[in-house]
Amino acid sequence: MVNFDQPHRRFNPLNGQWVLVSPHRARRPWLGQVEKAAVVEIPAYDPTCTLCPGNQRVSGVRNEAYTGTFVFDNDFPALLRAGEIQPGNEQPNPLFRAEQETGICRVVCFSPRHDLTLPQLSVTEVEAVLRTWSDQTAELSALDEIGYVQVFENKGAMMGCSNPHPHSQIWATGHVPNEPAAEAERQEAYLRETGRCLLCDVLRAEQADGRRIVAANEHFTALVPFWAVWPFEMLVVAHRHMGSLPELSAEERLALADVLRQVTIRYDNLFEISFPYSMGFHQTPCDGGSYPGWHFHLHFYPPLLRSATVRKFMVGFEMLGMPQRDLTPETAAERLRGLSGVHYCA
Ligand code: H2U
Ligand code: ZN
């Protein structure tokens, strides 16, 4: 038996990592929002923004006068196409392993509006963003040189986002990156050992328990996972066993748009700020392997802990030992669930 009110560790079956939970330290009274972040008025169009329609980017290229979503190749890509890489003469050895990495980096603007983040867009506008991410996934994963397509959004200066114009990024790589590689291994092992899908089982168990569920509709559920590391981390799981965005039906895409709004609106309402996070889709690798155990999902990793400005740091024991949290996932979910589904600015 385990006492969840006392220090204990929880296992993340998706990545094989443990997290230390110290709930006795979170007993101090909830102070709510201590200080509000300075309110910055953001214009609908910013003539100096490199992502706004019709404006010039750093590369000198001018953006289209776009009216919906807008995709362009990143002017400062972290990866290069195979044909762009110069041959080298480094000889890796077993201790200093290295492999050339190739790939494609793109930027996806959500809308022409410089001032509207995901929770402020309508459900049809979010659905349009999902369709763009889906089309990009299909296009990039069809390329021989691409083994994985990572769609993600870094939101807020705290997450290193350099431009407030709502946008996401896509990094498509030749190799499968660490996180999805670990998830692939564990999901396939679970399927081999049990004959069932890991996240189908997790979803059923979470639905039966109920304590960690924050929002749901017919096709998707958003929850604070049992093994969450970040205070208000969330996992969005598809109800149907599928692998990637292009597999969603039109109805499922609309349902995902709805859940994305439910999640991000509650995040903004928590401290009444534009809530920072890194979020991203975990989709089936496209490296030619077979991944019947892969279950389509999204992770939201927000850095904030107690207020608009008090963030969690992953330092000390967490860098050298393992991640640790005070607030239990159950308490975090309860707090998020209790917030209004209507944006505080509306
Ligand atoms: P982040 O702020 O989330 O890093 O996203 C901005 C991205 O947009 C960043 O990767 C790219 C940056 O390289 N960018 C361009 O490609 N061209 C520009 O003119 C500005 C920013
Ligand atoms: Zn802009």
Side-chain angles (χ1 to χ4, degrees):
M1 300 292 258
V2 179
N3 185 343
F4 282 175
D5 294 328
Q6 298 287 294
H8 61 283
R9 59 186 207 149
R10 297 185 182 193
F11 184 69
N12 179 343
L14 257 185
N15 67 10
Q17 302 279 310
W18 292 87
V19 55
L20 177 63
V21 188
S22 314
H24 61 295
R25 295 216 307 183
R27 209 63 44 64
R28 49 195 165 183
W30 172 251
L31 299 172
Q33 186 171 342
V34 193
E35 68 283 7
K36 278 196 179 168
V39 178
V40 205
E41 272 306 316
I42 299 176
Y45 167 77
D46 178 349
T48 67
C49 169
T50 49
L51 303 184
C52 272
N55 290 2
Q56 206 170 47
R57 296 206 301 273
V58 181
S59 58
V61 177
R62 196 167 280 285
N63 296 327
E64 286 165 30
Y66 64 95
T67 55
T69 61
F70 176 58
V71 185
F72 63 90
D73 282 321
N74 199 310
D75 297 312
F76 309 98
L79 298 147
L80 297 172
R81 305 288 296 260
E84 297 169 328
I85 292 193
Q86 316 289 329
N89 53 14
E90 292 284 353
Q91 183 63 58
N93 76 37
L95 285 178
F96 305 123
R97 279 178 67 184
E99 293 171 354
Q100 212 73 54
E101 185 61 287
T102 57
I104 297 169
C105 296
R106 290 184 178 159
V107 177
V108 180
C109 297
F110 297 160
S111 89
R113 288 285 295 264
H114 184 79
D115 57 337
L116 298 183
T117 59
L118 274 188
Q120 295 165 301
L121 296 176
S122 69
V123 72
T124 40
E125 287 166 326
V126 176
E127 197 264 344
V129 177
L130 281 168
R131 232 178 314 134
T132 301
W133 284 332
S134 176
D135 292 347
Q136 287 293 317
T137 300
E139 181 191 320
L140 293 164
S141 52
L143 300 174
D144 281 345
E145 66 191 274
I146 298 302
Y148 192 77
V149 179
Q150 185 58 61
V151 176
F152 65 97
E153 178 191 8
N154 270 341
K155 180 168 174 258
M158 199 176 267
M159 296 310 289
C161 179
S162 56
N163 187 320
H165 193 122
H167 67 279
S168 59
Q169 296 195 45
I170 301 175
W171 291 22
T173 50
H175 296 99
V176 183
N178 298 349
E179 293 292 322
E183 290 191 358
E185 206 177 304
R186 303 209 53 99
Q187 289 182 104
E188 296 314 319
Y190 189 89
L191 180 64
R192 265 195 318 276
E193 287 156 20
T194 66
R196 298 186 311 274
C197 159
L198 174 61
L199 281 184
C200 284
D201 278 5
V202 165
L203 179 64
R204 259 193 299 275
E206 288 288 16
Q207 286 169 331
D209 185 299
R211 279 178 291 178
R212 287 171 297 274
I213 291 180
V214 174
N217 59 28
E218 200 188 335
H219 298 293
F220 286 88
T221 293
L223 52 93
V224 179
F226 178 75
W227 54 78
V229 163
W230 295 92
F232 295 98
E233 176 175 334
M234 276 209 253
L235 178 72
V236 177
V237 192
H239 291 185
R240 186 163 68 84
H241 183 74
M242 61 173 125
S244 63
L245 277 167
E247 292 170 51
L248 268 68
S249 68
E251 188 182 309
E252 284 168 331
R253 213 165 41 231
L254 207 57
L256 180 53
D258 169 61
V259 162
L260 286 183
R261 289 185 78 254
Q262 293 198 48
V263 167
T264 54
I265 286 173
R266 282 189 172 77
Y267 272 161
D268 277 11
N269 286 346
L270 183 62
F271 301 130
E272 295 197 356
I273 50 155
S274 186
F275 200 72
Y277 58 71
S278 278
M279 73 85 117
F281 295 80
H282 273 162
Q283 316 194 66
T284 329
C286 47
D287 61 347
S290 162
Y291 298 94
W294 192 280
H295 191 118
F296 177 72
H297 62 278
L298 289 77
H299 296 279
F300 277 88
Y301 299 128
L304 291 178
L305 173 61
R306 255 200 313 280
S307 72
T309 52
V310 179
R311 62 163 297 163
K312 175 183 177 61
F313 288 98
M314 286 281 196
V315 295
F317 185 76
E318 314 197 286
M319 288 184 109
L320 293 147
M322 70 200 292
Q324 183 270 345
R325 63 182 296 143
D326 295 346
L327 180 75
T328 64
E330 292 73 33
T331 306
E334 194 184 330
R335 233 163 246 170
L336 289 166
R337 198 169 48 233
L339 295 165
S340 169
V342 179
H343 197 271
Y344 73 96
C345 288

